[in-house]
Every structure is written in C-alpha cells, then in structure tokens.
Amino acid sequence: MRSKMKTAPRTFDARVDRAIFMRLRAHLVGRGGSVSAENDASHALPSDTKAPASLPCGGRAFREWKRSSPSTLGRLGRVSARTCLVALTLLPCALVTVLTVPARAEGPLLVPDPGLARISRTKVLRWGGDVQGGEPFVHENAKGERVGFEVEIADGIAKRLGAKAEFVQNDWSNLVPSLERDSFDVVLNGFEMTASRAKRVLYTRPYKTYASRLTVRANARLPATREGMAKKRIGSLSGTRSFEIVRESGGEAVPYEGCLEPYIDLEQGRIDGVLLDDLIAARYSVGRKGLVVAGDVEQGNYAVATKRSEPGLRDAVDRALAEMESVGELRKILERAKLWEARDERLLTWTAQDQARALGQPVRETESDGGIDGGAGPPPTISALPQAPEADEARFDASRFLLLVRAALVTLSLSLAGMAIAAPLGLLLACARTYGGKTLAYATTTYVEIMRGTPLLLQLYLLYFGLAPWLKLPAPAAAVLALGMNYAAYEAEAYRAGIQAVPHGHVEAGLALGMTRLRVVRSVVIPQAVRLALPNVTSDFVSLLKDSSLVSVITVVELTKQMSITAVDVRAWGGPGLACAILYLAMSYPLSRLARRFEKKAKVENVEVET
Amino acid sequence: MITIENVTVRDGDTLRLDDVSMTLEKGVFAALVGESGSGKSTLLRVLSGFLPFAKGKVSVAGISLAAGATPEATKVALRRACVLVLQDANLFPHLDVTTNVTLALRHVCGLGAQEAEARAHATLDRLGLAPKRTAMPESLSGGQAQRVALARALVLKPKVLLLDEPTSALDPKRKVEIAAIFREQAEAGTTVIAVTHDEGLSNAAHARYTMAAGKLTDA
Ligand SMILES: Nc1ncnc2c1ncn2[C@@H]1O[C@H](COP(=O)(O)OP(=O)(O)OP(=O)(O)O)[C@@H](O)[C@H]1O
Ligand SMILES: [Mg+2]
C-alpha cells in the first residue's frame, strides 16, 4: 500500500506538505518562534518560489476543503452551479490528498514533513557520523571537541534551518539503519552518493567530490583499474563505496573499521592494496615506507542524506547547501580545511541532471529548466527528481545464507584453534602457578590478571597492529593467538580449581608408593583436575565461540561480520540476524549440553570420592 | 632395618611423639597398638618422611633422616624402599583397579606394561580380587578398596612395609588371610609394621609395641 502510493503522488504530496508547512511555520513564528521570516521563505521552503505557478489544485483545494468541510453539505444547497462543478472536480483531488497525507496528521494543524516539524519544534538538527572516520571528516581534537569540515557544514545548514547542529556518534557502517530508527535527522559524514543507497535514503546535492584512490606498495605495479584489483587482497573501510568497488571488481575486499589500519597492513604486506577515498589516502598513507598511489578508480560525491519519509527536510537541507555554495561559504569551509579542489567547482552549478547521474537514475532532459546555469536566481532544487524505487534487488536468499554458513565455519575453526591453544596453555599456567614456586606463581598470576582484566578487543588490536613493526602475524593467526592467549587465562583458573579439588590423600598415596612429585602431578592430579575442569572449560568454549566475533576488527570475516556485511547488502537486519543467531546456536547448544553432561558426571564422581 | 632414636615430634606445645626409640631387624613383623590419638599414625608418617621431627635420629632401610626438613631426593629414595599404606584407601578414581596397582610399578620400578600387569594380576589374585581387575574404584566396596590399596604396596616388594590399620574394613575371614600374607611377606625378608586395633592381627605379629600419649610404653 505504502509503496504503491509512494511512486506516483510523491512530488505532489511533498508540495502539499510544503504548503502546509508554511502555515505551520507562520504559526510558530507568530507564537514567537526564533525562526526568521526571511529564512523561512528563502531556505526552508525550497520549491515555494515555484509553487504559485506549479502547485495545482492540491494544496489550496485541500485547505479550502479543510476549512469548509464541517458544513459542506449545508452550504452546498446555496452555492451556484459553477461553484458546485468546481467543488465536485476538486473533491477527488482533496480526497487523494487526505489519503496521502501522513497518518500522523491530526489536530488543528496538519503536521507536514515530520523531519522539518521535529526540527522546528526542537530547534536542533541532529547529524549522524562516526568520529572514527578521522580527520578531515568529523573527528575529535586533542580537547575532545568534534571538529572537521563537516562540523562547519552542519553548522551552516543548521543555522539556515533555524536550529543548532548536534552531532550524534554512530558506527559508520550502521548510519542508515540508525537514521531510519531516528537516532538523528541526517547523515553527514563522507556518505557517498550511490544508486543502491538512494533506495534507502534521500540525498541532497553533494558538498564534496572525492575519488576512490588505490594505494599500493611501490614494487607491486598494480594498475588502478577494476581489472587490476581482481583476485587481489584490497583493504577498505567496510560499508564504503570503495569497499563495494573492490567487491564488484572481483577482488578480495578486506574490511577495516579505521582509516589507518589498512595502510599499516599494506606497508606490512598483509594486503596488496588499499582502495579508499583520496581524502583519506592523502592523510593516512603518508609517511608509510614504500607506499605509492596507483591512481583513482572512480569519482564520487559526498552528500547529506535524510530518511525517505522526510523529503521536506531533504529539500530544506538541500536548499541550505545550495545557498552555502552560492554565497561561497562552502568553498571557504573547504579551503580552510585545505580540501578545495578545481573539481569541486562543479558543485556550484549542480543540476537536477547531475543529481540523477550521481545516483544512477535516468536523466530527464525536459527538466533542464531555468535557474540552473549559474548567475541570477536561486539555485535549483532537486526535489522534482523522480524517487528511486524502494530497495528490492538484493534479497536474503539461499546463496547469501550459504555465505553465512561458510562464515560460521570460519568462526568454528577460529574457536577450535583458539581453544586448542587456550586449553593446554591454561593447564600449563595452572601447574606453573600451583607447583612452580614463588616466581612462576607471581608471573602466571600477573599474566592471568592482565588477560582477564583488559578487553579482548584491545589485546587483538595490540597483537595485530601494535606488534606489526616487529611481528607480522597474518590476521587469522593473530585472531587465533589472541583468543587462545586470552582464554588460556580463564582456563588456567578452571584448571587451578580442578587441581585444588583433587583430594590431598591421593597425592600422599602416590608419594607413599615412591612416585616423585612430578609423576604424581602428571599421573594422579592432572588427569583428575582436567576431568573436574571439563564442564567449565566446555562452557568457556561457548563463550569463546561468541567472543570470536570480535576478531572482525582485525579484518577476519567471521559469522557476525558476514552477517553485518550481508545485512548492509540486503538492507535488512532481520533475516541475516536471525540466520546468524541460528547458526551460533547450532554450534553452541550442543556444547552447552555437553558441558552439562560433564558436570553431572563430575558430580557423581565427586560424591564417590568424598564417601 | 629400622632404628628410631629419641624421636620427638612437636605440634606447638603438645608432643605428638615423645622421645620414641625402637629397633626392628630385617624380616620382623611388628604390630603397633594403642588407643586412638596416641601417635601411631604419626610415627608411621615420620618413618616414611611425611612428617619432620624436632629431635632424634631415624634410619630406615639404610637411609638416615635427621631432625628438621628432609630433602626431596632423600624422601623419594626412602619411599622406594619403605612403602606406607595410609589409613584411607585413597585409590586413584580415574584409573581402574589394575592400573592403580601398576602405576608405581611402571613409574617407580620402571617395569614394562606387560610385566607390570602380570605382577599386578598375581597380587590381586592373591588378595581375592581377581574378579575386580578391570573395575573402577568407585564400584568397589570398602573392604575391596582397602585390599586394592594393600595390593598397590605389596606388588612393589618393598624392604619395609608400613601399614596403617590395614584390616579395619575387612570381614573376619579376610582378616585372617591378610594376617597370613603379612607374615609370609616378613618371612620373605620384608620388615612390616602394622598399626592395628585388631587382636587377631597383633597376635599374628612377631612383636608388639604399645603407644600411649606419644610414648612407646613397652616392647
Ligand atoms: N595433621 C595434624 N596436625 C596436628 N595434629 C595432629 C595431626 N594429625 C594428628 N594430630 C594429633 O596428633 C596426635 C596423634 O595422632 P595420630 O593420628 O598419630 O593418632 P593415632 O594413634 O593414629 O590414632 P587412631 O588410632 O585414631 O588413628 C593426636 O592427638 C592428633 O590429634
Ligand atoms: Mg591413625
């Protein structure tokens, strides 16, 4: 129902919204709202200048109808035949309008675009981004303040909406779902304009042009083309357009969460190249020995994105950006950040066709109306563009499920390998602590406390990136080692408890038969301790299985990471999430059962031991 | 074979052993009797190096112990010659009966698996445990467990055998059988000390010592 109505009457609907919004704004201003009337007319209502000419029956008729509706029947008898005819032709029009106005509309004033209404109510424009993207995008300075050219752009837009810009930190790869669940009003953070995202969000005009730049090792001779990247390990930030390009070209896309890490790995030889926006490449690849730019693979643009349900807000932001561009404010901001380039000139004369091209949509020649080619008149609006249909091409199907199954096998093998380190190392630590004398006991206690007292995530980072200058561990090896070393600390405690639970009488009996202490430990204590620890060790294995999802931060694509990649691909979290949960359960449930069986068995044996 | 000279064991202010002296020749089967808490187990623990003593001298199977801490190597050498069977059976619960018996044979005496097993089976059979060769300790009765513990020690053929109430869990018929086995063992050259409350066993012994309040009262 929604989607049927959305395609055709949207532009019409949006204009009605704007017309109503003007009333609302006037109302608010009248009540002493801080929004100035000029602002209102010139920025917040983009297509209003055109409205008298192009706005058909919809807006006005609706208002008329709305005003008169309480007594329509009573009046009908007295009006002339001409009025009657007009009324009859307008009525269906009005009805369509009523049906397409958002359901939230109620009370004396019809609430227009919910985004604009929200902002005029709260006087706050919440913009989402991820400071981990780093400089020059929004990032934190030494004082912990959010800075970067996007902060200034957000301020400029917010000012024109009569609001204050408020940054909302959000994991970059989840900006769209967070936008949709209204964590913020707009996305403004190096968010590339792509055809596939246009099915999920509404884009304003761009505020910066970028290029996807391939960086390689000097001796690699990798051409900066899609063919050149095929079958190569190319690092990129997960969820970015550049990441997409690598996957489209048949390269092995290695996902990273931060800007610096891919270049570290490239320098270390763990990957063959890095494809990232030139803004990033220019800042984060410098100073790394032997890295050179192979070239640019594709050019694109960053724009602000709003929810699909809030075209009014999109138009208002777009108009604000257009003004910032036309008065030279944007250029100044970019120049201050040393980001202004000749290619950004194009943004100043951005047309509806450019917007369509940037989003991979059909360009309508007929719409090349006035006001576009610079000079006089307000910058054009892009609201008249046809909407991209809702996302439909990518589905969570069998082949994507198979990808999850494969990732589940990665998770399982990582966990098994991790446990294969953790269990023996844990036992060794437990023995060292119990029998190794003061120094060894102190050393192992320190190890256990450090491993259990610091996050596994941190240990992963240190092992993979921190040690890189001296020890170039491949990602899976680092993952297994970190999991193994971390869990060894927990297993050490489990085994220590097991050792302590072995009755002292058994040790004495062994010694009394002439066995050495070492022999008693090996043949009498450890076998019993291992059995006693087995339930705990098994349930720790379940925890390890789940904790293995953390290794995605060092580029290993395991089940959870694959799930989030798939979710971004199919633009839905439900299906992949559920499948992912089922796969985890399929692995962990049998283990939990096993742990419980061991526990029962151990209990029975313990009762026997004690009697 | 065993000489104890003026051995005193202190526990704070109380004396667990008070100036104990005793000499046993090779091949003697001695019974050690006395009321509960008189220090019988304490004396056996001193002889097998589990408990340091404050004063005196001890020599067991040619190995001398002095007052104070004993080096680990001396303890190991001592226990190879002088095996102690504790009051509780303390069988290793993760190993079956035969393996409980072969463990020390293999790792202390260095016997191969087959030879150790053959000797273990022979000893078990002698103690009436033939049907329990492959049983797990948890499935044994108290008396059976006590006999497995005895088998673990007897199979090693030690020079000195220290037994702490070895027949406490046995039925009268078995007690007689086991007493005969200890005598046989002594006649084959082993020096045996058995702490016991059992008249039958002390009567079977060559000598009888009585303890009271940490003192050896008569011989
Ligand atoms: N581990 C110990 N620490 C301190 N005192 C102990 C310890 N074991 C035994 N004692 C004390 O030493 C004394 C002698 O104990 P011992 O076990 O030698 O007695 P026992 O003659 O073997 O008695 P029973 O016939 O009941 O086994 C007792 O007073 C006892 O309380
Ligand atoms: Mg006793």
Side-chain angles (χ1 to χ4, degrees):
Chain A
M1 167 95 175
R2 263 172 73 95
S3 57
K4 252 189 242 159
M5 280 195 189
K6 251 182 186 147
T7 42
R10 173 53 82 179
T11 41
F12 164 73
D13 181 17
R15 282 185 201 141
V16 173
D17 278 357
R18 275 190 296 280
I20 295 164
F21 180 67
M22 196 169 77
R23 260 177 15 125
L24 175 73
R25 291 298 286 265
H27 182 78
L28 286 173
V29 170
R31 276 195 199 160
S34 66
V35 183
S36 76
E38 293 97 273
N39 254 357
D40 199 354
S42 59
H43 314 297
L45 305 170
S47 61
D48 204 57
T49 39
K50 280 194 274 175
S54 58
L55 192 68
C57 55
R60 212 184 304 158
F62 175 66
R63 265 180 279 163
E64 291 295 336
W65 178 80
K66 185 74 181 154
R67 219 173 276 154
S68 61
S69 53
S71 56
T72 307
L73 284 176
R75 272 187 185 179
L76 268 177
R78 275 174 275 141
V79 290
S80 67
R82 222 193 92 196
T83 324
C84 229
L85 201 69
V86 171
L88 278 175
T89 43
L90 289 183
L91 199 63
C93 224
L95 276 175
V96 168
T97 312
V98 167
L99 285 174
T100 50
V101 160
R104 262 162 286 175
E106 50 185 52
L109 283 164
L110 272 163
V111 178
D113 185 274
L116 270 183
R118 195 173 53 243
I119 289 163
S120 63
R121 191 176 63 243
T122 59
K123 306 272 183 295
V124 169
L125 174 70
R126 299 166 300 158
W127 60 289
D130 188 350
V131 290
Q132 209 195 338
E135 199 247 337
F137 305 98
V138 56
H139 63 284
E140 275 183 355
N141 67 8
K143 286 185 225 145
E145 301 157 341
R146 268 71 190 248
V147 291
F149 75 102
E150 285 168 334
V151 175
E152 293 180 58
I153 292 176
D155 287 342
I157 293 169
K159 189 179 78 194
R160 286 167 173 81
L161 295 183
K164 221 173 112 307
E166 187 183 292
F167 176 75
V168 179
Q169 167 62 32
N170 196 95
D171 193 45
W172 199 88
S173 43
N174 292 328
L175 281 171
V176 173
S178 295
L179 173 73
E180 284 173 345
R181 59 179 298 282
D182 197 34
S183 297
F184 37 78
D185 304 307
V186 298
V187 173
L188 197 173
N189 188 213
F191 194 67
E192 310 96 322
M193 300 174 78
T194 69
S196 58
R197 280 189 202 141
K199 299 186 169 93
R200 199 78 186 270
V201 300
L202 297 178
Y203 276 111
T204 65
R205 69 190 54 230
Y207 58 81
K208 175 77 187 119
T209 299
Y210 74 93
S212 284
R213 178 162 293 172
L214 184 64
T215 308
V216 297
R217 279 187 302 280
N219 55 5
R221 301 196 184 284
L222 214 61
T225 58
R226 286 160 183 267
E227 294 72 39
M229 293 190 296
K231 302 230 168 63
K232 291 279 189 297
R233 279 170 64 79
I234 308 290
S236 192
L237 289 175
S238 50
T240 59
R241 172 65 193 146
S242 296
F243 190 78
E244 276 301 300
I245 297 171
V246 176
R247 292 211 297 181
E248 284 167 14
S249 9
E252 187 191 335
V254 184
Y256 290 85
E257 300 294 327
C259 293
L260 193 59
E261 293 91 330
Y263 294 104
I264 295 177
D265 274 7
L266 179 59
E267 187 187 28
Q268 301 294 338
R270 284 165 169 157
I271 49 179
D272 303 315
V274 175
L275 188 71
L276 273 176
D277 307 4
D278 51 352
L279 281 74
I280 296 171
R283 277 159 187 79
Y284 294 91
S285 68
V286 291
R288 306 229 152 255
K289 260 184 290 156
L291 298 195
V292 293
V293 171
D296 294 343
V297 178
E298 188 185 282
Q299 189 161 306
N301 298 286
Y302 302 136
V304 182
T306 70
K307 301 175 191 73
R308 280 184 73 89
S309 57
E310 298 177 353
L313 177 60
R314 190 273 308 268
D315 290 349
V317 173
D318 179 63
R319 180 55 61 121
L321 266 177
E323 205 209 48
M324 289 173 71
E325 282 165 9
S326 67
V327 302
E329 186 174 335
L330 181 75
R331 182 175 179 149
K332 270 199 209 108
I333 291 173
L334 291 177
E335 276 172 353
R336 261 201 303 279
K338 304 203 169 48
L339 291 173
W340 180 263
E341 290 163 277
R343 67 186 183 202
D344 294 320
E345 298 271 1
R346 230 178 109 50
L347 302 178
L348 303 184
T349 57
W350 195 257
T351 64
Q353 288 99 313
D354 291 331
Q355 186 79 3
R357 261 181 236 114
L359 297 176
Q361 287 158 4
V363 181
R364 283 201 214 151
E365 292 308 328
T366 48
E367 278 184 21
S368 57
D369 45 39
I372 294 163
D373 17 44
T381 177
I382 56 170
S383 67
L385 276 176
Q387 297 292 321
E390 293 247 328
D392 57 4
E393 84 300 49
R395 285 245 153 65
F396 184 58
D397 51 16
S399 70
R400 282 202 158 80
F401 181 71
L402 220 64
L403 283 180
L404 286 187
V405 172
R406 258 177 41 196
L409 290 180
V410 173
T411 288
L412 192 63
S413 21
L414 284 175
S415 307
L416 283 171
M419 207 59 196
I421 292 178
L425 184 57
L427 188 57
L428 205 69
L429 287 167
C431 290
R433 187 164 177 182
T434 317
Y435 305 111
K438 269 212 179 97
T439 327
L440 265 181
Y442 184 77
T444 52
T445 310
T446 310
Y447 177 89
V448 167
E449 291 309 323
I450 288 175
M451 283 302 181
R452 297 201 309 175
T454 60
L456 176 56
L457 199 61
L458 177 72
Q459 295 162 16
L460 276 164
Y461 272 123
L462 286 177
L463 198 64
Y464 187 67
F465 295 115
L467 279 187
W470 304 281
L471 182 66
K472 284 177 219 170
L473 287 171
V480 166
L481 204 59
L483 285 171
M485 284 171 57
N486 180 273
Y487 268 82
Y490 292 91
E491 297 338 306
E493 291 301 282
Y495 287 125
R496 202 164 68 95
I499 288 173
Q500 282 167 355
V502 174
H504 187 64
H506 294 182
V507 178
E508 274 198 336
L511 293 174
L513 292 170
M515 291 192 262
T516 59
R517 210 159 264 279
L518 183 66
R519 171 52 58 190
V520 172
V521 168
R522 269 179 60 181
S523 297
V524 177
V525 179
I526 287 178
Q528 291 194 64
V530 167
R531 287 170 161 221
L532 291 167
L534 208 51
N536 287 332
V537 173
T538 314
S539 60
D540 276 353
F541 187 57
V542 176
S543 308
L544 189 150
L545 198 74
K546 291 182 290 177
D547 276 357
S548 71
S549 66
L550 288 172
V551 307
S552 64
V553 299
I554 59 167
T555 78
V556 178
V557 180
E558 43 61 65
L559 184 49
T560 304
K561 185 70 185 178
Q562 184 63 55
M563 189 275 295
S564 65
I565 291 173
T566 305
V568 171
D569 281 350
V570 304
R571 292 163 219 302
W573 286 82
L578 195 69
C580 176
I582 289 170
L583 286 169
Y584 269 115
L585 274 174
M587 294 186 281
S588 65
Y589 183 68
L591 284 167
S592 308
R593 284 288 300 267
L594 203 63
R596 233 168 293 151
R597 273 234 323 257
F598 286 144
E599 207 162 349
K600 260 189 216 151
K601 230 179 116 186
K603 246 181 214 150
V604 170
E605 272 173 16
N606 252 7
V607 169
E608 291 295 324
V609 163
E610 276 160 19
T611 49
Chain B
M1 182 63 37
I2 298 178
T3 42
I4 305 170
E5 292 173 42
N6 313 100
V7 166
T8 300
V9 174
R10 278 210 182 82
D11 181 33
D13 287 342
T14 59
L15 290 173
R16 287 173 62 184
L17 288 183
D18 186 1
D19 199 24
V20 173
S21 297
M22 172 165 133
T23 306
L24 286 181
E25 294 305 323
K26 184 169 183 251
V28 172
F29 172 20
L32 189 57
V33 300
E35 60 189 42
S36 187
S38 56
K40 307 182 294 291
S41 297
T42 304
L43 184 59
L44 295 195
R45 294 172 71 79
V46 166
L47 292 178
S48 51
F50 281 107
L51 198 66
F53 45 94
K55 267 199 278 183
K57 266 203 296 201
V58 171
S59 168
V60 181
I63 294 157
S64 312
L65 304 179
T70 312
E72 192 66 32
T74 311
K75 286 189 203 171
V76 171
L78 171 68
R79 291 172 193 149
R80 277 171 176 251
C82 162
V83 172
L84 167 68
V85 178
L86 294 157
Q87 218 159 347
D88 297 315
N90 280 315
L91 300 185
F92 309 131
H94 58 294
L95 304 174
D96 69 10
V97 165
T98 302
T99 317
N100 259 280
V101 178
T102 55
L103 194 64
L105 267 183
R106 300 198 53 196
H107 296 296
V108 178
C109 309
L111 257 57
Q114 278 182 344
E115 201 188 341
E117 196 159 294
R119 272 173 69 172
H121 285 165
T123 310
L124 287 169
D125 293 356
R126 197 169 152 211
L127 291 171
L129 290 166
K132 293 291 174 187
R133 283 177 180 182
T134 55
M136 292 306 284
E138 68 203 36
S139 68
L140 297 180
S141 74
Q144 288 164 342
Q146 192 165 39
R147 280 180 283 150
V148 175
L150 280 175
R152 274 199 312 209
L154 287 171
V155 80
L156 297 172
K157 300 193 174 135
K159 290 184 183 146
V160 176
L161 195 53
L162 307 175
L163 306 160
D164 202 343
E165 301 192 21
T167 57
S168 59
L170 302 182
D171 60 75
K173 192 173 145 258
R174 285 270 181 236
K175 280 183 181 171
V176 174
E177 280 175 35
I178 297 293
I181 288 172
F182 293 153
R183 258 195 104 93
E184 253 172 63
Q185 202 73 25
E187 270 142 31
T190 304
T191 307
V192 181
I193 304 181
V195 168
T196 186
H197 296 291
D198 174 22
E199 281 297 318
L201 189 59
S202 53
N203 288 339
H206 301 132
R208 177 186 171 124
Y209 294 87
T210 308
M211 286 199 75
K215 280 194 163 77
L216 209 56
T217 52
D218 66 74

